[in-house]
Amino acid sequence: MSRLSETDLAGPLEGFRIGVTSHRRAGDLIEALERRGAQVLHAPALRIAPVESDEILLAEIAAVISAAPDVVMVTTAYGMRRWLEAADAAGRGEELLAVLGRAEIYVRGPKARGAVRAAGLDDAGISADETTAALTGLVIESGISGKVVAVQVHGYTDADALARLRDAGATVLAVTPYRWVSAQDGDRLSQLIDAVANRELDVLTFTSAPAADAVLSAAAESPQGTAFLAALRGGSERVLRGSVGHVPRVGARDTGTQNGAPCVGGSAAVASAAVGPVTAAPLLAAGITPLVPERFRLGALIRLVCEHLEAAGALRVETSTGLLEVRGQSLLVDNVPVPLAPAALQLLKALIDARGAVRSQDELAAGLGLGGHALHMAVSRLRGALPDPGVVETVVKRGYRIRL
C-alpha cells in the first residue's frame, strides 16, 4: 500500500469532498478548493449582519467620539475597515479618525496593523501570537488604570477580555462593526450535518468561532447529532503538543508524528480544520481536535488541508487482481472510476488500512457506526462493485480482510 502524490492526479484534492461553513470570504475558500479538484459542500451557519441601519454600531461610534479614549484595541482588519466605513456613512468619519489619531492603538496581528496604517494611523504595539488574550495582556501591561479603552470586537463580544480590562481599572467601550446572525439559507446546514454524520465528507473547515459554535449547536439539535460528533472526534485521543495556549497545532504536514509527538486529524473519519486557535476553541470544548495551521491565515489553512489529505486521505493498494485507489469519496480500480456507496467506501478504507490483516465484524461495526445487518450490506455492496468480489475475503469466525 502507498499514498498518492499530487502528481498522480489532475489536482491534489481530486476525489475529496470538503465542507465549508464560512460566510465571509467563502467564495475565496471555495474557489481555491475547487481549483485544486475538490467537491465543496457550502453551508454557512452564520452570516455577517449588514452595517446599514445598524443603530447599535452608530451609537457605539458616537460614544467613542464623545469619550476620546486613551487606548484603542483593533482585533481584525475587516472590523477596522467596517468601523471607519460606518462612521463615514454617518458623516462622522473625520471625527472618528481624529479621535483615533490621538489614542494609543494596539493591534492583534499584521492584518489589523495593515488596516490601521491604511487609514493613515499608527500603532503602539502588536500582540505576540495574534490572539485577543495576548493583545489584552499587552494593553494591561502598558498601564490602563483610570484610562478609557475602546475595543473593536469581532463578531461577538469577548467577555473575558473586556472583564480583564475592567479589572485592571479601565473604563471600557466595546465597538462591534459586524455581528453574526443566522444564515437562514434553506436546509444546507442540515445537509452538511448529515454528510458529516454519514462520513460523506473528508474535511470540515471553520474560519470563525461563532460559526463553529453555530454548527455544533445545530448538530446538537439534529437527530444525527451523536453520529456527527463521533465522525469528527474519531476513535483516538491523539494530541499534538507544542501548541499556542491549549490549542493543538500541526505544521506543514500531518503524517502521524511531528517533533516526536503524535499529530491530530488522522484518526477522525471526517477531519476538521480551523483557521486559528480562537476558531478551534469551540471544537476542542466539544472533544474535537482540529487541524490548525502554524500561520493563522486562509491560505495556510488551504495548504494544510491539501497536505493532510495527501498524507492521510489517499490510499493505493495492489491486490491479487489489480490496483485499488481510494481518494476521499472516490474509488478507482486500475485507474477506472467505480461508483461506491458511502458505507461500502468507508468499509474499504478500513480494510485497506488493516494492510491485509483481519478486521473483526465487531471492530468494523463499531468503527464505522454500522449495525450488524448494515455491515453485511456494506460488504455485499463492496464486493458487487469490484471486478473480483473475492478481493474482500471472509475469514470464518474472525472477520474480513483485503486479499493482497
Side-chain angles (χ1 to χ4, degrees):
M1 182 179 66
S2 62
R3 302 293 182 182
L4 295 173
S5 67
E6 292 186 14
T7 58
D8 290 318
L9 291 117
L13 298 181
E14 196 75 35
F16 294 105
R17 197 162 182 237
I18 298 174
V20 172
T21 61
S22 61
H23 176 259
R24 190 174 77 85
R25 295 193 65 191
D28 293 342
L29 178 55
I30 292 169
E31 180 184 1
L33 294 172
E34 290 182 338
R35 190 169 63 248
R36 290 163 172 81
Q39 295 181 24
V40 175
L41 175 58
H42 181 214
L46 298 172
R47 65 178 177 83
I48 295 174
V51 71
E52 297 84 359
S53 71
D54 189 337
E55 298 299 328
I56 296 176
L57 175 57
L58 296 179
E60 291 171 344
I61 290 171
V64 169
I65 292 172
S66 176
D70 305 287
V71 177
V72 173
M73 295 168 56
V74 178
T75 60
T76 66
Y78 184 66
M80 181 67 180
R81 290 194 297 270
R82 281 180 69 102
W83 188 6
L84 296 176
E85 289 168 2
D88 281 336
R92 307 203 68 177
E94 291 187 6
E95 290 178 90
L96 179 60
L97 276 176
V99 166
L100 297 179
R102 292 191 292 270
E104 287 187 342
I105 300 176
Y106 291 85
V107 298
R108 193 177 71 169
K111 292 171 71 174
R113 169 175 277 174
V116 167
R117 293 183 177 178
L121 304 169
D122 204 354
D123 64 86
I126 186 170
S127 69
D129 60 7
E130 301 182 40
T131 65
T132 301
L135 174 61
T136 303
L138 177 64
V139 169
I140 291 173
E141 289 173 4
S142 73
I144 56 173
S145 180
K147 294 184 178 180
V148 177
V149 178
V151 184
Q152 175 257 307
V153 297
H154 48 94
Y156 68 117
T157 302
D158 190 331
D160 289 341
L162 301 184
R164 289 176 62 196
L165 294 168
R166 293 189 180 103
D167 289 345
T171 298
V172 179
L173 300 174
V175 180
T176 310
Y178 57 97
R179 291 176 174 81
W180 297 103
V181 297
S182 175
Q184 298 293 331
D185 195 3
D187 62 350
R188 280 196 288 171
L189 184 54
S190 64
Q191 291 174 5
L192 180 138
I193 291 169
D194 288 346
V196 172
N198 296 330
R199 307 180 185 212
E200 296 169 1
L201 294 180
D202 298 292
V203 178
L204 183 60
T205 63
F206 296 92
T207 58
S208 77
D213 271 328
V215 171
L216 292 171
S217 296
E221 298 172 2
S222 164
Q224 292 270 48
T226 300
F228 175 89
L229 289 177
L232 290 170
R233 286 171 176 166
S236 171
E237 297 299 327
R238 296 185 299 165
V239 174
L240 174 66
R241 307 301 176 187
S243 61
V244 173
H246 298 289
V247 180
R249 296 192 299 172
V250 285
R253 186 180 296 267
D254 176 52
T255 57
T257 62
Q258 179 170 316
N259 299 328
C263 289
V264 300
S267 64
V270 179
S272 57
V275 75
V278 173
T279 301
L283 301 173
L284 290 167
I288 300 165
T289 306
L291 303 165
V292 180
E294 292 288 347
R295 296 183 68 251
F296 313 141
R297 299 286 185 272
L298 191 60
L301 177 68
I302 294 167
R303 286 191 296 274
L304 181 58
V305 167
C306 289
E307 290 163 354
H308 168 73
L309 290 176
E310 179 191 353
L315 302 171
R316 173 187 289 163
V317 61
E318 288 283 358
T319 71
S320 57
T321 58
L323 176 67
L324 301 183
E325 300 179 22
V326 177
R327 290 186 62 82
Q329 305 301 310
S330 66
L331 167 65
L332 292 89
V333 178
D334 287 332
N335 297 315
V336 177
V338 174
L340 199 57
L345 185 63
Q346 294 302 322
L347 170 63
L348 178 59
K349 288 181 180 180
L351 294 176
I352 290 176
D353 275 336
R355 307 188 185 200
V358 177
R359 299 288 296 273
S360 72
Q361 292 188 27
D362 289 344
E363 183 182 6
L364 289 169
L368 300 177
L370 300 175
H373 177 69
L375 176 61
H376 292 311
M377 288 295 297
V379 172
S380 177
R381 288 171 178 166
L382 175 56
R383 285 173 169 162
L386 298 174
D388 178 7
V391 169
V392 179
E393 290 186 328
T394 299
V395 181
V396 179
K397 294 184 179 181
R398 293 183 60 195
Y400 302 98
R401 70 181 178 191
I402 288 287
R403 188 178 70 206
L404 301 179

